[in-house]
Amino acid sequence: MTEVIAILTVFGVPALVLTYFIRARTAYRLAMQETLRLAIEKGETLTTETLENLNRTRRAPDADRRTALILLSLGAAAMAVGFMNGDLEGFKYAGIFPFCMGIALLLNYQLRTTQEA
């Protein structure tokens, strides 16, 4: 029974997270379309600059650093669980992927901040 719960958790949680993000993005786009439709119906003039600013994604300047730290901590925690508990050998290797992704994002953040300075 524990194996079934583990398998459902491993595959179910990422599917739920992905579904949440897709639904949130879809709701945002529908709200944006509704706003534009109402503006056009009222006779407002929409310039190309306004439309370009609406489509631009806004990302925090330190988003890569924050994501890198989260991935580093998740990878380190998974590897620590694998080393502490000898029965969970897979955690040692599963933790390497997010750890390496965190290192790559941290390097990306560092390179971008040195280029901007």
Side-chain angles (χ1 to χ4, degrees), residues 19-36:
T19 302
Y20 170 76
F21 281 115
I22 290 172
R23 288 188 68 178
R25 187 176 57 200
T26 303
Y28 173 78
R29 288 184 179 171
L30 288 174
M32 185 66 66
Q33 289 176 1
E34 181 68 20
T35 303
L36 289 175

Side-chain angles (χ1 to χ4, degrees), residues 14-15 23 28 39 58 60 77 81 90 97 99 108 110:
R23 288 188 68 178
Y28 173 78
R58 291 164 184 85
V81 167
F97 181 72
F99 193 79
N108 184 35
Q110 187 65 30

Side-chain angles (χ1 to χ4, degrees), residues 62-84:
D62 63 341
D64 278 346
R65 182 183 58 150
R66 191 175 330 143
T67 306
L69 292 175
I70 291 169
L71 287 173
L72 283 171
S73 64
L74 285 174
M79 286 188 286
V81 167
F83 282 114
M84 284 183 206

Side-chain angles (χ1 to χ4, degrees), residues 10-103:
V10 166
F11 291 109
V13 170
L16 288 174
V17 170
L18 186 63
T19 302
Y20 170 76
F21 281 115
I22 290 172
R23 288 188 68 178
R25 187 176 57 200
T26 303
Y28 173 78
R29 288 184 179 171
L30 288 174
M32 185 66 66
Q33 289 176 1
E34 181 68 20
T35 303
L36 289 175
R37 187 182 63 79
L38 289 174
I40 291 170
E41 286 177 357
K42 288 184 179 181
E44 298 285 330
T45 58
L46 298 173
T47 63
T48 56
E49 296 154 353
T50 304
L51 294 175
E52 287 175 2
N53 284 336
L54 290 175
N55 286 332
R56 186 175 303 151
T57 58
R58 291 164 184 85
R59 190 174 160 127
D62 63 341
D64 278 346
R65 182 183 58 150
R66 191 175 330 143
T67 306
L69 292 175
I70 291 169
L71 287 173
L72 283 171
S73 64
L74 285 174
M79 286 188 286
V81 167
F83 282 114
M84 284 183 206
N85 191 347
D87 296 339
L88 301 174
E89 281 289 318
F91 274 85
K92 292 178 191 176
Y93 305 112
I96 293 172
F97 181 72
F99 193 79
C100 291
M101 290 283 294
I103 290 172

